[in-house]
Amino acid sequence: MTSRRHVLRRRQLARTGIAVVATCAVAGALSAAPPSVALARSGTSASALVGSARHDGSGVVSHGTITLKGVTHPAALPMATATGGHKVRAVPLLLPSTGSPHRVVAPVVPRVSRAAGMASSARVSRVVQNFAGVDAIQNRAAAGFNLEPPDEGLGAGNGFVANFVNVTGAIYRPGGRMVAGPFYLNTFFREPAATNTSDPRVFYDAGSRRWFATILEYKFNSDFTAITESHIDLAVSRRADPTRGWKVYKIPASNTTHAGCPCLADYPIMGIDKYNVYISTNEFTSDESTFNGAQLYAVSKSQLVAGRTSVNIANFENLSVAGAPAFHVQPANTYGASSAEWMMSSLDPNSTYDHRLAVWALTHRRAVTRGGTPRLSVRVIQSESYSFPPNAQTPAGYCSSCAAPTSGVIANDWDAMQEVQYINGRLVGALDTGVTIPGDTAERSGVAWFVVRPSLTHSMVDRHTQVGRQGYLAGQGLYLLYPHVNMTPNGSMAMTFGVGGPQTYPSAGYSVAARGSGFHTIRRAAAGTGPDNGFTGTDLYGPVARWGDYSNGQIVPGTNKVWLATQYIPNTGTGYSNWGNRIFELKMF
């Protein structure tokens, strides 16, 4: 069994100016694809949830309840007017690596046959709306400090668009008029102002006519060397209007009986289907020295929608696949009927390259509401190759409040699966990958995308599950960052991502694909107006700048319209940071 290392780059967690780099090792191996297996952690339960553990054909799963914290009203939340620029904060970045905190050179890098061209329009789509979302200036006003990176949460439906960006939220009408915010997400989720929060998600569920949102909360000891507690906040709107009241629930995630815990429930990912809300996390030990694998929580949607003060939940613990801890298990946002809650994750346990995907299925989903045991299974399938991508080189800049130059080097994603969608009987997902392009002067980062046909036999993922379509998108002289892809009901697809290059300011990009086709052209939803001048790009705090850990998007059910959002540089910013978010809607033909 080979060793696998994870690198934690933590900058300004305490808002005080101390940069920390730590490494840790966990077991993992690159192995042949196994048959479908039902799983959860074997042994005794290690859940921090109220309830007991039991074992059946799907393994050990903790059962319990989560309780209501209270009610929040976005339209009534205050917008802070802080103008100070001397507090800075960056959230954790935990990424797989083979030991170097910088670029890992993959022995195999996918080679694309041709680079995508740049274009301003497409026959298969039309830009319907396009406006600026939450930016660094609004973040400082709402939260009272400068922050990087701007993780991108986006939800759209019922005539509203919600943009939750790391610790700042805003709600808009489709034309871009702000109707609530910018507000501090700590206040929205009923957390103390000084509590660390990160990685928000927000989604409008047309079936229940409710909005759902999540965020990570975590605490440190006095010298910031260990996690002392973490949990996930889950908010559910009481109506289809997101500016009205939301009920907020707390999901304990410290898992104090797991090895090395209380743990950090890093990077919570939300998916929704007819029966439940699903949240997966990446669990790291208290000192961030060991990765315990993904944790999966299934929460009764009907009880959430009913506003129950106590809601049933099931937790699958320390997931693994192909001999290694599972990472970034992405529950699907499900549109229409489905035989399971489907999920996908990439593999690459050595942070080099791989050509496999893990397809997960949670069945017996109604059991969660009854306090029973759903069934989780996984199967590894073959895919196109993907590799750990390089960081992006963009034009250098200057952080005026830091009185220091910025490198222009932006931290890329690793080759982990990004947000997944289930529609028309297909799973749709994308991830960052290293690519080589004919005639280009350097390896770039591009996008590997996948359309997978999942299948079940006896409530388990079966051998008929396979990739239906897949491909790459890359641009000569360009780096593509943090992709998000959606399929519309007519089968066309839209994808958003950041775009940068040695001669290209960080911009908001997108691409579209006709039904049955692939992505061939890169378009800009908004061009960057200057270099990234953020504090994490300086030698004082970096010098590799933090960028958003994900883009986001959502289709409008019953239509062929899709909302997308990603990061770019819109203005000169606060003096410590100048990131922004571009929100736009496409009509697909």
Side-chain angles (χ1 to χ4, degrees):
M1 181 174 287
T2 60
S3 67
R4 180 186 181 191
R5 299 183 69 84
H6 283 262
V7 174
L8 165 65
R9 287 187 249 178
R10 179 175 5 120
R11 302 190 183 100
Q12 290 303 108
L13 283 170
R15 311 181 192 174
T16 58
I18 302 173
V20 179
V21 176
T23 63
C24 59
V26 299
L30 187 64
S31 60
S36 176
V37 293
L39 56 86
R41 190 184 181 199
S42 60
T44 57
S45 170
S47 176
L49 299 169
V50 177
S52 61
R54 80 188 201 196
H55 184 277
D56 65 5
S58 60
V60 172
V61 57
S62 302
H63 301 276
T65 58
I66 57 173
T67 56
L68 180 68
K69 290 175 59 176
V71 179
T72 188
H73 298 271
L77 294 179
M79 175 181 168
T81 57
T83 58
H86 300 294
K87 292 182 178 180
V88 293
R89 176 182 170 195
V91 300
L93 171 63
L94 295 101
L95 63 157
S97 157
T98 54
S100 166
H102 304 294
R103 171 76 178 111
V104 178
V105 179
V108 175
V109 178
R111 181 177 176 86
V112 298
S113 58
R114 63 189 179 100
M118 296 296 301
S120 58
S121 62
R123 291 181 298 173
V124 296
S125 70
R126 176 170 62 89
V127 177
V128 180
Q129 306 287 350
N130 192 345
F131 57 90
V134 172
D135 66 15
I137 298 172
Q138 294 170 335
N139 171 84
R140 188 179 66 176
F145 55 88
N146 293 280
L147 174 141
E148 291 192 324
D151 295 342
E152 179 75 69
L154 183 80
N158 193 45
F160 295 93
V161 179
N163 190 210
F164 286 11
V165 183
N166 224 314
V167 299
T168 304
I171 299 172
Y172 307 86
R173 287 294 187 179
R177 179 173 64 89
M178 190 182 297
V179 293
F183 47 81
Y184 190 22
L185 287 179
N186 281 34
T187 307
F188 174 87
F189 284 102
R190 301 179 65 86
E191 292 288 350
T195 297
N196 294 295
T197 55
S198 181
D199 300 330
R201 309 272 177 168
V202 59
F203 185 83
Y204 176 69
D205 178 56
S208 63
R209 291 182 56 80
R210 295 293 187 272
W211 295 77
F212 296 83
T214 58
I215 202 167
L216 164 67
E217 182 275 352
Y218 54 98
K219 295 184 179 69
F220 285 96
N221 59 6
S222 58
D223 61 358
F224 305 101
T225 59
I227 298 290
T228 60
E229 184 271 343
S230 73
H231 64 260
I232 304 154
D233 289 322
L234 169 60
V236 185
S237 71
R238 297 196 293 185
R239 296 179 176 84
D241 183 345
T243 66
R244 308 288 290 277
W246 297 55
K247 289 194 170 183
V248 183
Y249 297 83
K250 176 182 177 180
I251 302 175
S254 299
N255 290 328
T256 54
T257 55
H258 284 191
C261 291
C263 284
L264 174 68
D266 191 45
Y267 202 88
I269 309 161
M270 179 172 62
I272 296 176
D273 70 1
K274 180 179 179 180
Y275 301 105
N276 301 303
V277 175
Y278 305 91
I279 302 167
S280 76
T281 66
N282 296 313
E283 184 175 281
F284 289 83
T285 54
S286 178
D287 60 359
E288 293 112 16
S289 67
T290 306
F291 176 54
N292 286 342
Q295 316 294 311
L296 177 64
Y297 302 86
V299 189
S300 170
K301 189 171 82 169
S302 62
Q303 293 176 342
L304 291 170
V305 170
R308 293 264 298 267
T309 56
S310 179
V311 175
N312 286 343
I313 184 171
N315 175 22
F316 290 86
E317 304 171 29
N318 294 6
L319 303 182
S320 63
V321 62
F327 197 77
H328 264 228
V329 177
Q330 296 271 353
N333 286 316
T334 300
Y335 297 87
S338 65
S339 56
E341 167 58 16
W342 295 100
M343 294 164 269
M344 285 203 299
S345 59
S346 59
L347 278 84
D348 192 10
N350 298 303
S351 301
T352 53
Y353 75 102
D354 215 299
H355 50 79
R356 301 169 298 163
L357 301 175
V359 179
W360 308 72
L362 191 99
T363 55
H364 307 296
R365 293 164 288 170
R366 283 179 281 193
V368 176
T369 299
R370 299 192 298 265
T373 304
R375 188 177 195 182
L376 182 65
S377 64
V378 63
R379 189 176 187 89
V380 175
I381 63 174
Q382 298 297 306
S383 72
E384 64 190 5
S385 296
Y386 51 87
S387 71
F388 202 94
N391 290 328
Q393 179 63 65
T394 65
Y398 191 81
C399 177
S400 59
S401 293
C402 312
T406 58
S407 66
V409 179
I410 292 175
N412 208 333
D413 191 24
W414 53 103
D415 52 353
M417 185 66 66
Q418 291 290 334
E419 198 166 58
V420 169
Q421 174 193 15
Y422 179 82
I423 189 171
N424 297 338
R426 302 289 186 268
L427 277 168
V428 185
L431 53 82
D432 265 310
T433 179
V435 292
T436 57
I437 302 168
D440 211 340
T441 58
E443 179 190 347
R444 308 293 181 186
S445 59
V447 177
W449 57 270
F450 311 90
V451 178
V452 173
R453 298 193 300 266
S455 178
L456 291 176
T457 298
H458 304 304
S459 299
M460 296 174 65
V461 191
D462 67 23
R463 63 185 179 84
H464 299 292
T465 298
Q466 58 185 311
V467 173
R469 284 188 290 139
Q470 59 189 350
Y472 301 105
L473 180 69
Q476 193 163 33
L478 297 174
Y479 298 88
L480 308 186
L481 310 166
Y482 301 96
H484 171 91
V485 62
N486 280 107
M487 180 180 284
T488 59
N490 70 0
S492 59
M493 294 187 290
M495 179 164 58
T496 189
F497 39 80
V499 181
Q503 308 300 321
T504 303
Y505 294 137
S507 302
Y510 73 98
S511 185
V512 294
R515 179 179 181 180
S517 182
F519 296 94
H520 303 297
T521 306
I522 298 170
R523 298 171 174 83
R524 287 192 179 94
T529 61
D532 178 5
N533 293 329
F535 65 92
T536 59
T538 68
D539 285 333
L540 296 171
Y541 304 105
V544 178
R546 288 298 312 275
W547 202 242
D549 288 342
Y550 46 90
S551 303
N552 226 306
Q554 178 172 357
I555 68 169
V556 180
T559 75
N560 290 312
K561 294 181 179 179
V562 57
W563 282 93
L564 299 166
T566 195
Q567 292 82 44
Y568 75 124
I569 301 297
N571 51 46
T572 57
T574 66
Y576 280 103
S577 54
N578 64 332
W579 53 262
N581 293 274
R582 198 70 185 181
I583 302 170
F584 55 103
E585 183 187 26
L586 299 177
K587 181 177 181 180
M588 308 295 291
F589 300 113

